Amino acid sequence: MKSPATDIDLPIAQVITCTEAEGPGRRFALWFQGCPLRCPGCCNPEFLPFQGGQRIPVATMTQWIFQTQQQQAIEGITLLGGEPFAHAFAALALVRQIRKRNLSVMIFSGYTLEQLRQRPEPEVGELLALTDILVDGPYIREQPETQRRWIGSRNQQIHFLSSRYRFDETWLQRNTLEIRMNNGTITVNGFPAAQAAGLWRGWKRKKPLPLIPQDK
Ligand code: SF4
């Protein structure tokens, strides 16, 4: 396999540098632009086209993550979609870098682990090997999750692919929804209770977030 380099670009739809709504602890969350799946009720339809978003070099993103680690004590990154495994080569290049600082890796994928293990691309296998937690499977609107924190629908499985994390009470606490206002733009992340769905529609991402802070 050609080795993923740090000068290749990540197609990015959104970044939240420090969140507690996308997995254990404080995490740097990164949404890819582009998903080949079409789950009815997908929370992020604007992230489905492979066009759009911003192209950010792996080296720039790595520096941003390491800076956030120093400033906000994040313990890992979370990759979401769009579909991270539709961008496995670029995602692997990033994960190889951030592993050098012992940051953990969590991925939400619309594919099942079984499907991913059957994929022939070596970058998919290596990305799985460097992942601590995989939440797999498509989002099924008719099966909303009500017990497990951070999970969208009941069909989705949590796979602990390393010994770094395990299923404990933090996975059973109330779900977390974060709302931010930044320069007049409101963003929402995390998975809301079913009765709260739709509350923020209309003011979600009326214009794209500036992905790179002004001081970078
Ligand atoms: S896999 Fe995720 S991003 Fe893709 S359509 Fe399904 S819910 Fe949306």
Side-chain angles (χ1 to χ4, degrees), residues 13-182:
Q14 176 170 284
V15 166
I16 294 182
T17 56
C18 184
T19 175
E20 297 181 24
E22 308 295 351
R26 294 182 181 175
R27 312 191 70 80
F28 189 107
L30 186 161
W31 284 259
F32 282 94
Q33 180 74 45
C35 174
L37 306 176
R38 292 293 180 270
C39 307
C42 169
C43 283
N44 295 316
E46 63 272 48
F47 297 171
L48 300 183
F50 282 82
Q51 298 76 33
Q54 291 187 33
R55 304 263 153 186
I56 301 180
V58 166
T60 303
M61 186 65 77
T62 302
Q63 183 189 11
W64 192 4
I65 293 169
F66 288 166
Q67 186 179 350
T68 306
Q69 183 184 22
Q70 282 183 328
Q71 294 173 344
Q72 303 193 67
I74 55 169
E75 67 181 60
I77 68 169
T78 298
L79 306 182
L80 309 98
E83 169 53 51
F85 283 93
H87 309 277
F89 195 77
L92 174 59
L94 176 69
V95 166
R96 279 180 174 174
Q97 295 304 310
I98 70 101
R99 276 297 193 189
K100 295 176 182 173
R101 297 269 184 103
N102 199 32
L103 288 161
S104 63
V105 177
M106 180 173 181
I107 301 181
F108 287 84
S109 175
Y111 296 111
T112 64
L113 178 58
E114 188 180 5
Q115 290 171 324
L116 291 172
R117 284 186 166 150
Q118 290 173 356
R119 289 263 294 266
E121 308 98 297
E123 58 267 29
V124 171
E126 187 177 345
L127 186 55
L128 282 174
L130 294 175
T131 299
D132 297 292
I133 305 171
L134 175 76
V135 178
D136 78 346
Y139 171 64
I140 299 180
R141 179 172 49 191
E142 294 75 20
Q143 299 180 25
E145 175 63 61
T146 57
Q147 303 294 319
R148 299 172 302 169
R149 192 180 178 191
W150 302 308
I151 310 299
S153 56
R154 293 194 300 276
N155 61 298
Q156 294 170 323
Q157 300 296 311
I158 307 163
H159 300 277
F160 296 98
L161 301 179
S162 76
S163 58
R164 185 157 175 168
Y165 293 98
R166 61 187 173 83
F167 193 83
D168 60 21
E169 64 279 359
T170 62
W171 291 83
L172 296 172
Q173 292 171 9
R174 291 172 71 100
N175 217 338
T176 307
L177 184 68
E178 295 176 355
I179 302 173
R180 289 178 176 78
M181 179 171 276
N182 182 8

